[in-house]
């Protein structure tokens, strides 16, 4: 770089003064499940050449780390179906400035990968966990087996790949009555459950029919019997609300992207599997870093592209409150 390096490496801040510290990286849009809220019917997957190589991913992560990003989460699709994923973790864990390298997975392949991921430098896991009912799980995932998920969780614990959070997307009439059971299951196994409001992120999905707010959930007697609501903290527009269990066996998280927005302090960016840097989950504003890199962009060129798209990050993201979702479904963007 040139004498302008100190200016180039100033913190990555948007036009509203929010400093970007967190990057979610989708390694693939492929998955061994086909969850209805994530992947629309007949959605085509990217070819190998259309996706970023691990070296290209590492280059982007290195650049944003030099600009102040210190937290990276690997997502998909299902990141563990990407060949060589352990090598990618090894690459990223060695990047200066990255202090937290995590992964979101459906856990099915953890029995094969947990030990290797731990050794490669992965810090922790979030596991998609939408139901405890085996038949319901199979229906949601188009044939997935809940027993394989539980096996993967057990192996991850045995290998010390902890802590583990369980992510449950709330869907009225599907799993909302299971919330107490999921809380108990998580407490029994030392996991932290997190309940996430359903978002309109998939074309053709009846979002309004499935949506249930966290506030409504917290009014239910079986939920209130387990959670210490006297510890209700000020949200301060943060992404997660965590409340302790009354029996002292941990806490429960609630994510409210619809009912209580947390845009004021959003510090997240998303890198899609095909190399687009997305600055807001429900906004289609992004920059094509893959195209720039493959056209010979220097690191300074990429820094300028990244800064320019971050400056276009909206003050508040707007979800599409209709039957249709965004131009790109969740499986393309990364969870």
């Amino acid at each position: 770089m040139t004498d302008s390096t100190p200016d180039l490496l100033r913190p990555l801040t948007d036009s509203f003064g929010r400093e970007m510290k967190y990057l979610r990286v989708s390694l693939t849009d492929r998955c061994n499940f086909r969850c209805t809220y994530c992947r629309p019917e007949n959605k085509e997957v990217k070819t190998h050449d259309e996706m970023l190589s691990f070296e290209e991913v590492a280059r982007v992560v290195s650049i944003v780390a030099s600009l102040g990003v210190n937290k990276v989460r690997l997502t998909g699709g299902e990141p563990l179906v990407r060949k060589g994923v352990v090598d990618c973790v090894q690459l990223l864990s060695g990047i200066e400035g990255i202090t937290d390298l995590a992964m979101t997975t459906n856990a099915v392949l953890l029995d094969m990968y947990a030990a290797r991921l731990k050794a490669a430098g992965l810090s922790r896991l979030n596991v998609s966990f939408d139901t405890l009912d085996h038949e319901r799980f199979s229906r949601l995932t188009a044939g997935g087996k809940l027993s394989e998920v539980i096996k993967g969780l057990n192996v991850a614990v045995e290998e010390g790949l902890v802590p583990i959070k369980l992510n449950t997307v709330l869907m009225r009439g599907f799993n909302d009555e299971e919330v107490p059971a999921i809380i108990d299951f998580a407490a029994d196994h030392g996991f932290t459950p997190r309940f996430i409001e359903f978002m309109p992120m998939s074309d053709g999905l009846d979002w309004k029919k499935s949506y249930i707010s966290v506030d409504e959930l917290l009014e239910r007697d079986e939920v209130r019997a387990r959670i210490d609501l006297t510890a209700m903290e000020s949200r301060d527009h943060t992404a997660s609300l965590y409340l302790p269990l009354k029996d002292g066996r941990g806490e429960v998280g609630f994510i409210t992207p619809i009912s209580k927005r947390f845009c004021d302090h959003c510090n997240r960016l998303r890198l899609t599997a095909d190399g687009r840097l997305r600055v807001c989950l429900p906004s289609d504003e992004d920059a094509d870093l893959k195209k720039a890199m493959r056209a010979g962009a220097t690191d300074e060129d990429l820094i300028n592209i990244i800064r320019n798209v971050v400056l276009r990050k909206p003050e508040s993201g707007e979800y599409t409150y209709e039957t249709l979702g965004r131009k790109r479904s969740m499986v393309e963007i990364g969870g």
Side-chain angles (χ1 to χ4, degrees):
M1 294 188 181
T2 66
D3 291 341
S4 63
T5 295
D7 183 58
L8 280 172
L9 299 185
R10 70 186 186 278
L12 188 57
T13 305
D14 71 6
S15 59
F16 303 98
R18 297 172 295 197
E19 187 174 341
M20 302 298 108
K21 307 292 289 184
Y22 182 9
L23 176 68
R24 293 194 173 193
V25 178
S26 175
L27 296 181
T28 179
D29 62 347
R30 296 173 184 268
C31 188
N32 40 14
F33 289 165
R34 186 175 286 273
C35 298
T36 53
Y37 62 78
C38 182
R39 180 186 292 279
E41 290 291 330
N42 303 317
K43 177 65 70 175
E44 294 184 0
V45 296
K46 300 290 187 298
T47 66
H48 179 77
D49 288 341
E50 288 177 308
M51 295 190 297
L52 291 181
S53 68
F54 291 150
E55 290 74 21
E56 288 170 329
V57 169
R59 184 182 179 193
V60 174
V61 172
S62 294
I63 288 172
V64 297
S66 74
L67 303 178
V69 169
N70 58 20
K71 181 177 180 180
V72 172
R73 175 172 295 280
L74 304 177
T75 70
E78 169 51 47
L80 295 182
V81 304
R82 177 81 185 262
K83 184 178 180 180
V85 63
V86 175
D87 296 330
C88 181
V89 170
Q90 187 103 46
L91 268 177
L92 301 185
S93 67
I95 292 175
E96 183 178 357
I98 299 302
T99 58
D100 185 5
L101 179 60
M103 178 181 287
T104 296
T105 173
N106 61 31
V108 167
L109 298 175
L110 279 178
D111 60 328
M112 293 190 297
Y113 283 107
R116 294 163 60 193
L117 291 169
K118 174 74 173 178
L122 193 69
S123 305
R124 55 194 179 85
L125 293 170
N126 280 14
V127 173
S128 301
F129 199 87
D130 293 321
T131 177
L132 277 164
D133 182 277
H134 289 261
E135 186 280 328
R136 192 174 292 164
F137 184 89
S138 179
R139 180 156 37 97
L140 174 69
T141 60
K145 295 181 179 180
L146 180 60
S147 59
E148 294 179 348
V149 173
I150 294 174
K151 178 182 179 182
L153 284 166
N154 290 336
V155 172
V157 172
E158 291 170 4
E159 298 295 344
L161 192 51
V162 292
I164 295 174
K165 295 177 181 177
L166 302 183
N167 288 346
T168 301
V169 176
L170 292 169
M171 290 169 277
R172 185 186 299 278
F174 180 78
N175 65 0
D176 56 310
E177 297 296 336
E178 289 191 70
V179 168
I182 292 173
I183 291 174
D184 293 344
F185 172 85
D188 289 344
H189 292 83
F191 306 140
T192 298
R194 303 198 313 167
F195 298 97
I196 305 168
E197 289 180 342
F198 194 89
M199 293 176 282
M201 292 297 298
S202 180
D203 289 347
L205 196 63
D206 192 344
W207 168 79
K208 293 181 180 179
K209 180 180 178 181
S210 299
Y211 175 75
I212 176 173
S213 72
V214 163
D215 282 346
E216 179 181 337
L217 193 71
L218 291 177
E219 289 298 318
R220 296 184 176 182
D221 290 342
E222 282 192 290
V223 176
R224 296 171 72 89
R226 289 164 169 79
I227 297 172
D228 183 5
L229 293 177
T230 64
M232 185 77 76
E233 60 194 44
S234 170
R235 288 303 306 273
D236 193 30
H237 298 284
T238 55
S240 305
L241 166 67
Y242 284 93
L243 297 174
L245 291 172
K246 288 182 176 179
D247 63 12
R249 291 193 298 162
E251 59 185 6
V252 182
F254 300 94
I255 317 296
T256 57
I258 304 299
S259 65
K260 290 185 176 65
R261 307 300 300 279
F262 36 83
C263 297
D264 287 0
H265 297 284
C266 179
N267 64 352
R268 300 179 181 186
L269 301 171
R270 284 176 165 82
L271 182 65
T272 65
D274 60 351
R276 305 192 78 91
L277 187 68
R278 193 179 181 99
V279 293
C280 174
L281 177 58
S283 168
D284 289 315
E285 188 71 58
D286 62 21
D288 193 342
L289 299 187
K290 180 186 71 177
K291 181 178 180 181
M293 284 189 285
R294 294 184 182 180
T298 66
D299 285 0
E300 289 187 21
D301 294 333
L302 291 175
I303 287 173
N304 288 328
I305 292 170
I306 291 167
R307 286 198 184 282
N308 285 336
V309 73
V310 167
L311 287 174
R312 301 200 301 273
K313 184 178 176 76
E315 183 175 12
S316 178
E318 296 298 330
Y319 289 93
T320 303
Y321 295 95
E322 303 295 341
T323 301
L324 296 182
R326 309 304 303 180
K327 292 179 181 177
R328 307 194 85 186
S329 60
M330 185 65 87
V331 75
E332 295 179 281
I333 298 168

